[in-house]
Amino acid sequence: MLKPRLGAYWQYCDSRVYSTGAARQSSWPTAEHYFQAMKFAGTEHEEFIRLAPTAMEAAKMGRDRTRPLRRDWEDCKVNIMKEAVRAKVQQQQEVKQILMSTGNCILVEHTSNNSFWGDNGDGTGRNMLGQILMVVRNEQEGYSPEFFLPQWLVYPEHHPYNMFWRMGTGETYLMYLWEWRKGLSKEALQEYDAYFVPPADWKRDEE
C-alpha cells in the first residue's frame, strides 16, 4: 500500500488543464480550479473561481458555503473528480509517468483532514481520490502492474554488505530492481526515492 504525494501533486501543481467535461472549451489554471468551479457550474461563481490567483484560493472559494452549491453536487462530484484526474494525466506527461510507475500498488490519499477523498489518517476513510487514481492509472495505454520495492524492505534481514546481494536470490532481485528503475522517468524516480527513504545502514553504503 502506498500513501503517495500524488493527490497534492495533481491538484495543486501550477499547470494548466483543459476540461473534458461540462465546460469543454475552458482552460483551467489547475485541476483544483476546475473541480471547485464545477460546484457552481453555469453560474457566475464558476468563472470567479476559474480566475482565482492560486489553487489554494480556488479551494477556499469553492468551500465557501455562502455560494450557491449545485443541488446535485453529492451525486456528481466523484465523476467530476474523475474527469479532472483523467484530464491531468492525459495532458501532463510527468504526472502520467509518476502515476503509471506505481504499478499494482494500492494508492492512498493519506490525510486526517478528509474521510471521503482520503483515508481519514487511520484507514477508516473512503479514499475516493486514491481509488480514482488507480482506475485512471489502470486504463492508461502501456500500463504495467510491475512494481519493485527497494531491497531493504524485501529482505530486511540482510545487511548491505552481506554476500546475499552478490549471488543467488539477492543478486537476482537487484538486477530486476535496477532494470525496472532504468525504465522510470526522472520525475517518477524522484518520487520513488523520496517515498522510500533507505535506513541508516543503506544510506552509509550509498555515500
Side-chain angles (χ1 to χ4, degrees):
M1 179 181 295
L2 291 185
K3 300 177 180 179
R5 295 175 292 171
L6 281 166
Y9 186 83
W10 84 261
Q11 282 181 307
Y12 290 106
C13 70
D14 184 17
S15 48
R16 189 160 294 277
V17 170
Y18 296 91
S19 64
T20 58
R24 293 182 183 275
Q25 304 305 314
S26 296
S27 173
W28 303 84
T30 68
E32 185 70 15
H33 281 77
Y34 174 72
F35 178 76
Q36 296 296 339
M38 288 302 99
K39 294 178 178 179
F40 315 100
T43 73
E44 62 182 1
H45 300 278
E46 176 184 343
E47 182 65 4
F48 290 158
I49 294 174
R50 189 178 75 85
L51 297 176
T54 66
M56 191 169 292
E57 183 63 24
K60 181 179 178 181
M61 293 170 69
R63 293 167 185 149
D64 180 359
R65 287 301 164 258
T66 64
R67 299 178 188 274
L69 183 68
R70 58 192 284 181
R71 293 182 180 180
D72 64 345
W73 180 244
E74 290 303 314
D75 296 325
C76 69
K77 65 181 181 182
V78 171
N79 283 334
I80 289 174
M81 180 68 83
K82 196 176 294 184
E83 286 177 5
V85 172
R86 280 201 179 105
K88 186 87 169 178
V89 171
Q90 291 167 2
Q91 296 166 25
Q92 294 168 22
Q93 190 66 18
E94 297 90 348
V95 175
K96 179 179 180 179
Q97 291 300 320
I98 293 172
L99 184 60
M100 290 181 67
S101 74
T102 61
N104 63 356
C105 294
I106 297 173
L107 302 181
V108 177
E109 174 66 353
H110 185 49
T111 175
S112 59
N113 298 324
N114 198 306
S115 61
F116 183 79
W117 298 113
D119 69 346
N120 204 33
D122 58 5
T124 61
R126 296 183 63 181
N127 187 39
M128 289 305 299
L129 179 56
Q131 292 188 48
I132 288 172
L133 286 166
M134 288 185 285
V135 167
V136 173
R137 174 193 67 188
N138 296 358
E139 68 189 20
Q140 297 304 305
E141 183 178 356
Y143 163 73
S144 169
E146 188 175 52
F147 185 85
F148 287 89
L149 288 167
Q151 61 270 37
W152 58 82
L153 290 181
V154 180
Y155 300 105
E157 68 276 17
H158 294 288
H159 190 275
Y161 297 115
N162 195 300
M163 285 299 293
F164 173 80
W165 302 111
R166 291 165 175 79
M167 60 180 65
T169 303
E171 182 182 35
T172 299
Y173 189 81
L174 287 180
M175 289 175 60
Y176 280 119
L177 172 63
W178 290 337
E179 193 63 30
W180 176 76
R181 284 174 60 92
K182 282 168 58 178
L184 299 182
S185 68
K186 179 182 70 174
E187 293 81 10
L189 195 56
Q190 288 173 345
E191 288 293 314
Y192 182 94
D193 289 340
Y195 188 86
F196 294 109
V197 179
D201 287 346
W202 284 93
K203 283 184 178 178
R204 284 198 294 271
D205 185 52
E206 290 177 352
E207 292 171 357

Short mmCIF file of all heavy atoms in Angstrom, two decimals, residues 138-176:
data_model
loop_
_atom_site.label_atom_id
_atom_site.label_comp_id
_atom_site.label_asym_id
_atom_site.label_seq_id
_atom_site.Cartn_x
_atom_site.Cartn_y
_atom_site.Cartn_z
N ASN A 138 -4.88 2.41 -14.29
CA ASN A 138 -5.02 1.10 -14.91
C ASN A 138 -5.60 1.15 -16.32
O ASN A 138 -5.47 0.18 -17.07
CB ASN A 138 -5.89 0.19 -14.03
CG ASN A 138 -5.26 -0.09 -12.68
OD1 ASN A 138 -4.15 0.36 -12.39
ND2 ASN A 138 -5.97 -0.81 -11.83
N GLU A 139 -6.21 2.28 -16.69
CA GLU A 139 -6.79 2.38 -18.03
C GLU A 139 -5.84 3.02 -19.03
O GLU A 139 -6.17 3.13 -20.22
CB GLU A 139 -8.11 3.16 -17.97
CG GLU A 139 -7.97 4.62 -17.63
CD GLU A 139 -9.30 5.31 -17.37
OE1 GLU A 139 -10.30 4.62 -17.09
OE2 GLU A 139 -9.33 6.56 -17.43
N GLN A 140 -4.64 3.42 -18.59
CA GLN A 140 -3.69 4.07 -19.49
C GLN A 140 -3.04 3.07 -20.43
O GLN A 140 -2.69 1.96 -20.03
CB GLN A 140 -2.60 4.80 -18.69
CG GLN A 140 -3.10 5.92 -17.81
CD GLN A 140 -3.87 6.96 -18.56
OE1 GLN A 140 -3.38 7.54 -19.53
NE2 GLN A 140 -5.09 7.22 -18.12
N GLU A 141 -2.86 3.48 -21.68
CA GLU A 141 -2.17 2.64 -22.64
C GLU A 141 -0.72 2.43 -22.19
O GLU A 141 -0.04 3.38 -21.80
CB GLU A 141 -2.19 3.30 -24.02
CG GLU A 141 -1.55 2.46 -25.11
CD GLU A 141 -1.63 3.12 -26.47
OE1 GLU A 141 -2.27 4.20 -26.57
OE2 GLU A 141 -1.07 2.56 -27.42
N GLY A 142 -0.27 1.21 -22.23
CA GLY A 142 1.09 0.90 -21.81
C GLY A 142 1.24 0.64 -20.33
O GLY A 142 2.35 0.38 -19.85
N TYR A 143 0.12 0.69 -19.60
CA TYR A 143 0.20 0.43 -18.16
C TYR A 143 0.69 -0.98 -17.88
O TYR A 143 0.27 -1.94 -18.52
CB TYR A 143 -1.18 0.63 -17.51
CG TYR A 143 -1.28 0.00 -16.13
CD1 TYR A 143 -0.64 0.56 -15.05
CD2 TYR A 143 -2.00 -1.18 -15.95
CE1 TYR A 143 -0.71 -0.03 -13.80
CE2 TYR A 143 -2.08 -1.77 -14.70
CZ TYR A 143 -1.44 -1.19 -13.63
OH TYR A 143 -1.51 -1.78 -12.40
N SER A 144 1.56 -1.11 -16.90
CA SER A 144 2.05 -2.41 -16.45
C SER A 144 1.91 -2.50 -14.94
O SER A 144 2.24 -1.54 -14.23
CB SER A 144 3.52 -2.60 -16.83
OG SER A 144 4.06 -3.75 -16.18
N PRO A 145 1.43 -3.64 -14.41
CA PRO A 145 1.28 -3.78 -12.96
C PRO A 145 2.61 -4.02 -12.25
O PRO A 145 2.64 -4.12 -11.02
CB PRO A 145 0.36 -5.01 -12.83
CG PRO A 145 0.64 -5.81 -14.06
CD PRO A 145 0.89 -4.80 -15.14
N GLU A 146 3.69 -4.08 -13.00
CA GLU A 146 5.00 -4.39 -12.41
C GLU A 146 5.46 -3.29 -11.45
O GLU A 146 5.35 -2.10 -11.73
CB GLU A 146 6.04 -4.57 -13.51
CG GLU A 146 7.38 -5.08 -13.02
CD GLU A 146 8.33 -5.35 -14.17
OE1 GLU A 146 8.52 -4.45 -15.01
OE2 GLU A 146 8.86 -6.48 -14.23
N PHE A 147 5.96 -3.70 -10.30
CA PHE A 147 6.46 -2.75 -9.30
C PHE A 147 7.46 -3.47 -8.42
O PHE A 147 7.24 -4.62 -8.04
CB PHE A 147 5.33 -2.18 -8.45
CG PHE A 147 5.79 -1.12 -7.49
CD1 PHE A 147 5.90 0.20 -7.90
CD2 PHE A 147 6.12 -1.44 -6.18
CE1 PHE A 147 6.34 1.19 -7.02
CE2 PHE A 147 6.55 -0.46 -5.29
CZ PHE A 147 6.66 0.86 -5.72
N PHE A 148 8.56 -2.79 -8.08
CA PHE A 148 9.58 -3.39 -7.23
C PHE A 148 9.82 -2.51 -6.00
O PHE A 148 10.10 -1.32 -6.14
CB PHE A 148 10.89 -3.56 -7.99
CG PHE A 148 10.87 -4.67 -9.00
CD1 PHE A 148 10.46 -4.42 -10.31
CD2 PHE A 148 11.23 -5.96 -8.65
CE1 PHE A 148 10.42 -5.44 -11.25
CE2 PHE A 148 11.20 -6.99 -9.58
CZ PHE A 148 10.79 -6.73 -10.88
N LEU A 149 9.71 -3.12 -4.84
CA LEU A 149 10.06 -2.44 -3.60
C LEU A 149 11.58 -2.38 -3.48
O LEU A 149 12.29 -3.22 -4.04
CB LEU A 149 9.48 -3.18 -2.41
CG LEU A 149 7.97 -3.09 -2.20
CD1 LEU A 149 7.52 -4.12 -1.19
CD2 LEU A 149 7.57 -1.69 -1.77
N PRO A 150 12.12 -1.41 -2.74
CA PRO A 150 13.57 -1.37 -2.53
C PRO A 150 14.04 -2.61 -1.77
O PRO A 150 13.28 -3.20 -0.98
CB PRO A 150 13.78 -0.09 -1.72
CG PRO A 150 12.46 0.23 -1.12
CD PRO A 150 11.43 -0.28 -2.07
N GLN A 151 15.28 -2.97 -2.00
CA GLN A 151 15.80 -4.22 -1.48
C GLN A 151 15.77 -4.32 0.04
O GLN A 151 15.59 -5.40 0.60
CB GLN A 151 17.23 -4.44 -1.99
CG GLN A 151 18.25 -3.38 -1.58
CD GLN A 151 18.34 -2.24 -2.58
OE1 GLN A 151 17.33 -1.84 -3.14
NE2 GLN A 151 19.55 -1.72 -2.79
N TRP A 152 15.92 -3.20 0.74
CA TRP A 152 15.95 -3.26 2.21
C TRP A 152 14.58 -3.56 2.81
O TRP A 152 14.49 -3.98 3.96
CB TRP A 152 16.52 -1.97 2.79
CG TRP A 152 15.78 -0.72 2.38
CD1 TRP A 152 14.63 -0.21 2.91
CD2 TRP A 152 16.16 0.16 1.32
NE1 TRP A 152 14.26 0.93 2.26
CE2 TRP A 152 15.18 1.20 1.29
CE3 TRP A 152 17.22 0.19 0.42
CZ2 TRP A 152 15.25 2.24 0.37
CZ3 TRP A 152 17.28 1.24 -0.48
CH2 TRP A 152 16.30 2.24 -0.51
N LEU A 153 13.51 -3.36 2.03
CA LEU A 153 12.18 -3.73 2.51
C LEU A 153 11.84 -5.18 2.18
O LEU A 153 11.14 -5.85 2.94
CB LEU A 153 11.12 -2.81 1.90
CG LEU A 153 11.11 -1.36 2.37
CD1 LEU A 153 10.00 -0.59 1.68
CD2 LEU A 153 10.94 -1.28 3.88
N VAL A 154 12.34 -5.66 1.06
CA VAL A 154 12.05 -7.03 0.64
C VAL A 154 12.85 -8.04 1.47
O VAL A 154 12.34 -9.08 1.87
CB VAL A 154 12.34 -7.21 -0.86
CG1 VAL A 154 12.04 -8.64 -1.29
CG2 VAL A 154 11.51 -6.23 -1.68
N TYR A 155 14.12 -7.70 1.74
CA TYR A 155 15.00 -8.60 2.50
C TYR A 155 15.65 -7.82 3.64
O TYR A 155 16.87 -7.59 3.65
CB TYR A 155 16.07 -9.19 1.58
CG TYR A 155 15.51 -10.00 0.44
CD1 TYR A 155 15.49 -9.49 -0.87
CD2 TYR A 155 15.01 -11.28 0.65
CE1 TYR A 155 14.98 -10.23 -1.92
CE2 TYR A 155 14.48 -12.02 -0.41
CZ TYR A 155 14.48 -11.50 -1.68
OH TYR A 155 13.97 -12.25 -2.71
N PRO A 156 14.87 -7.39 4.63
CA PRO A 156 15.41 -6.54 5.70
C PRO A 156 16.43 -7.24 6.59
O PRO A 156 17.18 -6.58 7.31
CB PRO A 156 14.14 -6.16 6.49
CG PRO A 156 13.19 -7.27 6.23
CD PRO A 156 13.44 -7.68 4.81
N GLU A 157 16.46 -8.56 6.54
CA GLU A 157 17.37 -9.31 7.41
C GLU A 157 18.81 -9.31 6.89
O GLU A 157 19.73 -9.73 7.61
CB GLU A 157 16.88 -10.76 7.58
CG GLU A 157 16.95 -11.62 6.33
CD GLU A 157 15.76 -11.48 5.39
OE1 GLU A 157 15.02 -10.49 5.52
OE2 GLU A 157 15.59 -12.37 4.53
N HIS A 158 19.02 -8.80 5.69
CA HIS A 158 20.35 -8.85 5.09
C HIS A 158 21.00 -7.48 5.06
O HIS A 158 20.46 -6.53 4.48
CB HIS A 158 20.29 -9.42 3.67
CG HIS A 158 19.88 -10.86 3.62
ND1 HIS A 158 20.72 -11.89 4.03
CD2 HIS A 158 18.72 -11.47 3.23
CE1 HIS A 158 20.10 -13.05 3.88
NE2 HIS A 158 18.89 -12.82 3.40
N HIS A 159 22.17 -7.37 5.68
CA HIS A 159 22.96 -6.15 5.71
C HIS A 159 23.43 -5.83 4.28
O HIS A 159 23.64 -6.73 3.46
CB HIS A 159 24.18 -6.37 6.62
CG HIS A 159 24.95 -5.14 6.91
ND1 HIS A 159 25.94 -4.64 6.08
CD2 HIS A 159 24.87 -4.26 7.96
CE1 HIS A 159 26.43 -3.54 6.60
NE2 HIS A 159 25.82 -3.28 7.73
N PRO A 160 23.61 -4.53 3.96
CA PRO A 160 24.01 -4.18 2.60
C PRO A 160 25.33 -4.80 2.15
O PRO A 160 25.56 -4.94 0.94
CB PRO A 160 24.09 -2.65 2.64
CG PRO A 160 24.10 -2.27 4.07
CD PRO A 160 23.32 -3.32 4.76
N TYR A 161 26.21 -5.17 3.10
CA TYR A 161 27.49 -5.76 2.72
C TYR A 161 27.46 -7.29 2.72
O TYR A 161 28.47 -7.94 2.47
CB TYR A 161 28.60 -5.29 3.66
CG TYR A 161 28.84 -3.80 3.60
CD1 TYR A 161 28.58 -2.99 4.70
CD2 TYR A 161 29.30 -3.20 2.43
CE1 TYR A 161 28.79 -1.62 4.64
CE2 TYR A 161 29.52 -1.82 2.36
CZ TYR A 161 29.26 -1.04 3.47
OH TYR A 161 29.46 0.31 3.40
N ASN A 162 26.28 -7.84 3.00
CA ASN A 162 26.14 -9.30 3.05
C ASN A 162 26.37 -9.91 1.67
O ASN A 162 25.96 -9.34 0.64
CB ASN A 162 24.74 -9.64 3.57
CG ASN A 162 24.61 -11.08 4.01
OD1 ASN A 162 24.80 -11.99 3.21
ND2 ASN A 162 24.26 -11.27 5.26
N MET A 163 26.99 -11.09 1.65
CA MET A 163 27.21 -11.79 0.39
C MET A 163 25.91 -12.16 -0.32
O MET A 163 25.91 -12.47 -1.52
CB MET A 163 28.03 -13.06 0.63
CG MET A 163 29.50 -12.80 0.90
SD MET A 163 30.31 -11.99 -0.51
CE MET A 163 30.22 -13.30 -1.74
N PHE A 164 24.81 -12.10 0.41
CA PHE A 164 23.49 -12.39 -0.16
C PHE A 164 23.24 -11.56 -1.41
O PHE A 164 22.60 -12.01 -2.36
CB PHE A 164 22.42 -12.11 0.89
CG PHE A 164 21.01 -12.20 0.39
CD1 PHE A 164 20.39 -13.43 0.24
CD2 PHE A 164 20.28 -11.05 0.06
CE1 PHE A 164 19.08 -13.52 -0.22
CE2 PHE A 164 18.98 -11.13 -0.39
CZ PHE A 164 18.38 -12.38 -0.54
N TRP A 165 23.74 -10.31 -1.41
CA TRP A 165 23.49 -9.39 -2.52
C TRP A 165 24.42 -9.62 -3.71
O TRP A 165 24.27 -8.98 -4.75
CB TRP A 165 23.63 -7.94 -2.05
CG TRP A 165 22.70 -7.62 -0.94
CD1 TRP A 165 23.02 -7.36 0.36
CD2 TRP A 165 21.27 -7.53 -1.00
NE1 TRP A 165 21.90 -7.11 1.11
CE2 TRP A 165 20.81 -7.20 0.30
CE3 TRP A 165 20.34 -7.69 -2.03
CZ2 TRP A 165 19.46 -7.04 0.59
CZ3 TRP A 165 19.00 -7.53 -1.74
CH2 TRP A 165 18.56 -7.21 -0.44
N ARG A 166 25.36 -10.53 -3.57
CA ARG A 166 26.34 -10.76 -4.62
C ARG A 166 26.19 -12.10 -5.31
O ARG A 166 26.99 -12.46 -6.17
CB ARG A 166 27.75 -10.62 -4.03
CG ARG A 166 28.06 -9.17 -3.64
CD ARG A 166 29.28 -9.06 -2.73
NE ARG A 166 29.60 -7.65 -2.47
CZ ARG A 166 28.96 -6.89 -1.59
NH1 ARG A 166 27.95 -7.38 -0.90
NH2 ARG A 166 29.32 -5.62 -1.41
N MET A 167 25.17 -12.83 -4.92
CA MET A 167 24.93 -14.12 -5.57
C MET A 167 23.50 -14.57 -5.29
O MET A 167 22.88 -14.12 -4.34
CB MET A 167 25.91 -15.18 -5.05
CG MET A 167 25.82 -15.45 -3.54
SD MET A 167 26.99 -16.72 -2.98
CE MET A 167 28.54 -15.89 -3.30
N GLY A 168 22.98 -15.42 -6.12
CA GLY A 168 21.68 -16.05 -5.90
C GLY A 168 20.52 -15.08 -5.87
O GLY A 168 20.42 -14.13 -6.67
N THR A 169 19.61 -15.29 -4.92
CA THR A 169 18.36 -14.55 -4.84
C THR A 169 18.56 -13.05 -4.72
O THR A 169 17.89 -12.25 -5.41
CB THR A 169 17.53 -15.06 -3.66
OG1 THR A 169 17.30 -16.46 -3.79
CG2 THR A 169 16.19 -14.34 -3.58
N GLY A 170 19.47 -12.63 -3.85
CA GLY A 170 19.70 -11.21 -3.64
C GLY A 170 20.21 -10.52 -4.88
O GLY A 170 19.73 -9.44 -5.26
N GLU A 171 21.18 -11.11 -5.54
CA GLU A 171 21.74 -10.54 -6.76
C GLU A 171 20.68 -10.47 -7.85
O GLU A 171 20.57 -9.47 -8.57
CB GLU A 171 22.93 -11.38 -7.23
CG GLU A 171 23.60 -10.81 -8.47
CD GLU A 171 24.73 -11.67 -8.95
OE1 GLU A 171 24.63 -12.92 -8.82
OE2 GLU A 171 25.72 -11.13 -9.47
N THR A 172 19.88 -11.52 -7.97
CA THR A 172 18.83 -11.54 -8.98
C THR A 172 17.81 -10.44 -8.74
O THR A 172 17.39 -9.74 -9.68
CB THR A 172 18.12 -12.91 -8.99
OG1 THR A 172 19.07 -13.92 -9.30
CG2 THR A 172 17.00 -12.94 -10.02
N TYR A 173 17.42 -10.25 -7.46
CA TYR A 173 16.45 -9.21 -7.16
C TYR A 173 17.00 -7.83 -7.52
O TYR A 173 16.30 -6.99 -8.10
CB TYR A 173 16.04 -9.24 -5.69
CG TYR A 173 14.88 -8.31 -5.41
CD1 TYR A 173 13.58 -8.71 -5.69
CD2 TYR A 173 15.09 -7.01 -4.94
CE1 TYR A 173 12.51 -7.84 -5.48
CE2 TYR A 173 14.03 -6.14 -4.74
CZ TYR A 173 12.75 -6.56 -5.02
OH TYR A 173 11.69 -5.69 -4.83
N LEU A 174 18.27 -7.57 -7.18
CA LEU A 174 18.87 -6.28 -7.50
C LEU A 174 18.90 -6.04 -9.01
O LEU A 174 18.67 -4.92 -9.46
CB LEU A 174 20.29 -6.22 -6.94
CG LEU A 174 20.42 -6.05 -5.42
CD1 LEU A 174 21.89 -6.02 -5.01
CD2 LEU A 174 19.70 -4.81 -4.93
N MET A 175 19.17 -7.07 -9.76
CA MET A 175 19.20 -6.93 -11.22
C MET A 175 17.84 -6.53 -11.76
O MET A 175 17.73 -5.62 -12.59
CB MET A 175 19.66 -8.24 -11.86
CG MET A 175 21.14 -8.56 -11.63
SD MET A 175 21.60 -10.19 -12.29
CE MET A 175 21.21 -9.98 -14.03
N TYR A 176 16.78 -7.19 -11.27
CA TYR A 176 15.43 -6.85 -11.71
C TYR A 176 15.05 -5.44 -11.26
O TYR A 176 14.43 -4.69 -12.02
CB TYR A 176 14.42 -7.86 -11.17
CG TYR A 176 14.37 -9.16 -11.94
CD1 TYR A 176 14.67 -10.37 -11.33
CD2 TYR A 176 14.00 -9.18 -13.28
CE1 TYR A 176 14.62 -11.57 -12.03
CE2 TYR A 176 13.95 -10.37 -14.00
CZ TYR A 176 14.26 -11.56 -13.37
OH TYR A 176 14.21 -12.73 -14.08
#
